[in-house]
Amino acid sequence: MNETLHMLLVLFVASVLSAAALTIVYEKTQPLIEKNNGNSLDLELHEVLPNAEQFEEISFNVSGTNIVQTYKGLSNNRIVGYVFLSRTPGFSDYIKILIGTNKQQITDVKIIENAETPGLGSRITEDSFLSQFRNKDINTHEFDAIAGATISSSAVINAITETESFINKLHEQGKLQ
Amino acid sequence: MSFKDFITGLWEQNPIFRIILGMCPTLAVTNMAINGLFMGTAVIFVLISSCIIVSLIRNLVPSKIRIPVYVIIIATVTTIADYILAAYYPSIHKVLGIYLPLVIVNCIILGRIEAFAKTHSVGRSFLDAFGIGLGFTWGLILLGSIRELIGFGTIFGLTVLGSWYPQVLIMKLPTGAFITLGLLIASLNLIKKRKLPTE
């Protein structure tokens, strides 16, 4: 019995110490981590829609699509374009893709999160693949996949064509300013 | 403290080529040299910290529950490293992101704690962990370089073989890791065998 109590005590103390250490570090680092994430998202929004000076979240009815977040890009209080964040299933996990558009064209595309196979699927982040989307009319639906990374690159292409038709739908409904 | 504790992990007890431990990350992340370097760095950090902590408390933990206690320590150290990197070095965290959580289940760490840190002083445990960590890292980088050279024609992202080079898909996939690792271990064993008679 004594031995059991001793073991319980040691395990308890170890868990409490671990939880305490994690709590302290979490409290200290969380604000910084959130700031870093916010900063990098802001930078990435600027990258895919360079004309805009600032971005604001905007809500569209995105049900039934992989789009999870939409932003409008403003310059001199005029809307110069929109950015769509698509969360689409890839080969091993969801791929998060930022798609910038000025209503007529895709301005740029950026992969902000992926867990695809390094060296194969991860090539979707390379410019040689992403440059084909840049400044394309939003009615362009033919894009090249990557040999050896068909699933990952098709996922990105599908996310983009889906966003394109979503933009067209918003156009028809007159919801884009 | 002796220098031998450090050296032994580099060659005599190299986790990849001699004790064949930690095969899952070895096979999974070595399709490029840089991945090996990152994985190795993450392992060195967690290995050293966990071994030092275990060595410090080695007389306090009853042996029946030592494994859960060690696992708590490893998981805590890894998570703290994850938070600190994300907060202060976001660019490094972005690259190491996938590898850091994988370190928790790396059996080299539990292996070194069991085989060394739980019965040795802090100084010797540190040297042992550092040596094993470096041994793991150079093994990963060697494997990664060979696979990257044959698979992509590059090493550490630098083009070695020009655009004429037909990239070999199999070396980018886990199959290539098994083949390369097998051939490497075989040739290292051959070198060791040749050395024996003169020793």
Side-chain angles (χ1 to χ4, degrees):
Chain A
M1 192 58 199
N2 229 347
E3 197 199 349
T4 317
L5 266 181
H6 183 216
M7 293 197 298
L8 275 173
L9 190 73
V10 171
L11 260 184
F12 177 72
V13 171
S15 318
V16 167
L17 285 180
S18 154
L22 284 177
T23 313
I24 295 170
V25 176
Y26 182 82
E27 289 286 320
K28 289 252 180 232
T29 53
Q30 203 53 28
L32 278 167
I33 293 174
E34 269 167 24
K35 204 180 118 214
N36 288 339
N37 289 342
N39 281 350
S40 61
L41 179 66
D42 201 47
L43 278 178
E44 282 153 347
L45 286 172
H46 278 284
E47 273 178 49
V48 293
L49 191 59
N51 282 341
E53 277 153 15
Q54 60 188 61
F55 292 91
E56 276 172 25
E57 276 185 33
I58 180 170
S59 53
F60 288 122
N61 178 17
V62 291
S63 59
T65 69
N66 288 313
I67 298 168
V68 289
Q69 193 69 265
T70 49
Y71 304 87
K72 55 181 177 185
L74 300 165
S75 173
N76 295 326
N77 290 323
R78 272 184 46 246
I79 295 180
V80 290
Y82 295 87
V83 178
F84 297 84
L85 175 60
S86 179
R87 184 173 173 274
T88 196
F91 183 66
S92 47
D93 201 350
Y94 283 93
I95 307 172
K96 280 190 176 174
I97 311 160
L98 271 187
I99 302 154
T101 167
N102 60 10
K103 292 171 272 185
Q104 287 85 39
Q105 287 180 329
I106 300 286
T107 47
D108 208 347
V109 170
K110 194 170 163 71
I111 311 290
I112 54 173
E113 233 178 83
N114 84 91
E116 303 304 287
T117 321
L120 287 170
S122 70
R123 282 162 63 202
I124 55 173
T125 59
E126 289 174 6
D127 198 56
S128 54
F129 172 65
L130 293 177
S131 60
Q132 63 173 321
F133 305 113
R134 201 166 296 147
N135 301 327
K136 284 281 160 65
D137 187 275
I138 55 164
N139 292 312
T140 317
H141 299 306
E142 297 278 318
F143 298 107
D144 294 328
I146 302 173
T150 319
I151 295 177
S152 308
S153 52
S154 305
V156 176
I157 292 171
N158 286 340
I160 286 165
T161 46
E162 182 194 66
T163 307
E164 287 176 335
S165 31
F166 186 69
I167 296 169
N168 277 331
K169 208 179 90 192
L170 289 175
H171 250 312
E172 283 164 21
Q173 296 170 347
K175 283 185 180 161
L176 292 188
Q177 297 161 29
Chain B
M1 252 204 229
S2 82
F3 196 55
K4 207 180 168 302
D5 292 328
F6 174 69
I7 289 296
T8 182
L10 293 179
W11 179 248
E12 282 297 314
Q13 293 221 45
N14 186 294
I16 296 182
F17 301 121
R18 302 241 63 96
I19 40 182
I20 326 279
L21 259 186
M23 284 300 104
C24 180
T26 303
L27 297 168
V29 306
T30 53
N31 59 0
M32 284 191 273
I34 194 84
N35 292 342
L37 179 65
F38 286 140
M39 185 75 207
T41 317
V43 166
I44 289 178
F45 175 80
V46 176
L47 186 58
I48 290 180
S49 328
S50 317
C51 282
I52 288 178
I53 295 172
V54 167
S55 174
L56 278 172
I57 59 160
R58 65 186 186 277
N59 297 323
L60 303 173
V61 182
S63 97
K64 275 186 188 164
I65 52 156
R66 63 183 194 282
I67 301 288
V69 172
Y70 297 161
V71 173
I72 291 175
I73 293 172
I74 297 170
T76 310
V77 168
T78 313
T79 313
I80 289 177
D82 193 44
Y83 285 159
I84 290 180
L85 277 180
Y88 298 101
Y89 305 98
S91 50
I92 301 180
H93 182 261
K94 220 171 177 179
V95 187
L96 278 185
I98 340 160
Y99 304 115
L100 218 45
L102 280 176
V103 174
I104 299 182
V105 290
N106 191 322
C107 50
I108 293 174
I109 295 165
L110 205 55
R112 277 343 274 175
I113 289 174
E114 270 292 289
F116 203 91
K118 72 162 188 188
T119 46
H120 290 82
S121 68
V122 175
R124 291 191 65 187
S125 302
F126 166 76
L127 285 177
D128 176 73
F130 195 30
I132 292 279
L134 275 184
F136 186 57
T137 308
W138 80 254
L140 289 181
I141 293 177
L142 178 65
L143 251 175
S145 304
I146 295 173
R147 286 180 65 193
E148 192 181 335
L149 181 67
I150 303 176
F152 297 90
T154 60
I155 289 181
F156 278 107
L158 299 169
T159 309
V160 178
L161 305 167
S163 50
W164 51 267
Y165 181 72
Q167 306 194 346
V168 183
L169 181 66
I170 197 171
M171 289 309 259
K172 304 176 188 175
L173 299 170
T175 324
F178 278 107
I179 296 172
T180 317
L181 184 65
L183 290 175
L184 267 179
I185 293 178
S187 40
L188 289 178
N189 278 344
L190 210 75
I191 296 171
K192 199 172 161 64
K193 231 178 202 168
R194 277 219 187 116
K195 265 193 188 164
L196 274 181
T198 55
E199 265 171 17

